[in-house]
Amino acid sequence: MRLSHLTAVLLLVAAGVTACGDSSPNDAAPNDGSTPTRAEVPDASSFTTVIDNPFMPWTPGAVYTYEGGAERITVEVTDDTREVMGVTTVVVHDTVSESGKVVEDTYDWYAQDADGNVWYFGEDSKEIADGKTTSTEGSWEAGVDGAQPGIAMEADPQVGDYYYQEFYEGHAVDTGEVLALDEHVDVPLGSYDDCLRTEDVNPLDTSVVEDKFYAPGIGLVLETGVKGSDERSELVEFAPGD
């Protein structure tokens, strides 16, 4: 994931992200879609590495494989943890390959709060060409250079919810909006009902809009470009883990 953070106090208020508090993203009144939800980051002691949100169940050992165009994406929930902002997070390893060669290698950090919201605390991301790292631009860590964690998946998503997923000024900003809770999705691995559909936008580049579909008990099963891209990435293999 990619995220951006605003360091100035007034911009933080406008973005609705603060460094302390215990409210969930759904505590805020529904908005009109123009401003992301004001989600406060809970106290570090309220987080857990047991991530069992039905739309993002990061079970250690689980492996998701997606294919789209020339890309093959492998997402593995590891047994490793990393402390970020005093929170012990789960490390998820994500690789993108083209023609059998890895072109992007990323370690993402997640934790779940007491309400069941899954928070995203950053990533160590490398773009690779000919076996060599060419860029780490997408990397960020919550609490460093003003970056703050964002909501990767709400505990109780409702149509119209609009929230920051990533927030690090000038480098990585992503927002998610809940579009539907009852989608039917067909991918090579199978058919899924009652899927959550979100629309993801990077405010730094609104020319590209993606929709993501999450199946209960599985997680992400389909990602499609709806503006500025016609890419489609589908779940083709899934190992549920421990």
Side-chain angles (χ1 to χ4, degrees):
M1 299 178 75
R2 300 289 183 266
L3 198 157
S4 172
H5 176 265
L6 307 177
T7 54
V9 173
L10 290 178
L11 291 180
L12 278 170
V13 172
V17 179
T18 61
C20 61
D22 58 3
S23 64
S24 71
N26 286 325
D27 287 340
N31 57 60
D32 61 5
S34 61
T35 303
T37 299
R38 298 190 174 197
E40 293 185 352
V41 184
D43 184 82
S45 63
S46 71
F47 284 97
T48 177
T49 56
V50 178
I51 301 178
D52 56 6
N53 183 301
F55 291 112
M56 190 171 282
W58 286 139
T59 305
V63 180
Y64 301 77
T65 304
Y66 305 88
E67 290 185 350
E71 289 188 344
R72 183 177 177 88
I73 303 168
T74 302
V75 179
E76 177 185 2
V77 184
T78 75
D79 292 316
D80 298 332
T81 60
R82 178 186 176 98
E83 185 171 311
V84 183
M85 289 184 66
V87 176
T88 301
T89 67
V90 174
V91 178
V92 177
H93 188 203
D94 180 337
T95 59
V96 180
S97 299
E98 295 180 357
S99 302
K101 296 182 179 180
V102 175
V103 296
E104 186 171 344
D105 192 351
T106 303
Y107 291 89
D108 298 300
W109 312 312
Y110 297 90
Q112 184 170 295
D113 68 22
D115 293 321
N117 304 295
V118 181
W119 289 76
Y120 183 47
F121 281 82
E123 64 180 274
D124 178 6
S125 182
K126 300 176 181 176
E127 295 181 15
I128 300 171
D130 298 323
K132 298 180 180 180
T133 299
T134 59
S135 175
T136 60
E137 173 60 24
S139 300
W140 67 279
E141 180 175 340
V144 176
D145 294 333
Q148 289 286 324
I151 296 289
M153 181 58 64
E154 293 182 297
D156 183 25
Q158 299 295 317
V159 173
D161 287 353
Y162 183 41
Y163 48 92
Y164 279 105
Q165 297 172 325
E166 306 184 334
F167 209 83
Y168 177 31
E169 183 181 12
H171 297 276
V173 184
D174 273 338
T175 62
E177 181 177 1
V178 178
L179 299 184
L181 301 167
D182 57 357
E183 294 282 343
H184 175 83
V185 176
D186 293 311
V187 294
L189 190 63
S191 298
Y192 303 94
D193 292 317
D194 300 320
C195 291
L196 165 68
R197 181 177 185 173
T198 66
E199 184 169 275
D200 293 6
V201 179
N202 175 358
L204 300 176
D205 180 10
T206 58
S207 65
V208 177
V209 177
E210 298 175 330
D211 280 7
K212 294 182 179 179
F213 299 79
Y214 299 83
I218 301 291
L220 181 65
V221 294
L222 173 65
E223 180 176 338
T224 63
V226 296
K227 176 184 175 183
S229 170
D230 58 1
E231 294 183 356
R232 179 182 176 94
S233 182
E234 304 172 314
L235 184 65
V236 297
E237 297 176 15
F238 172 60
D242 301 333

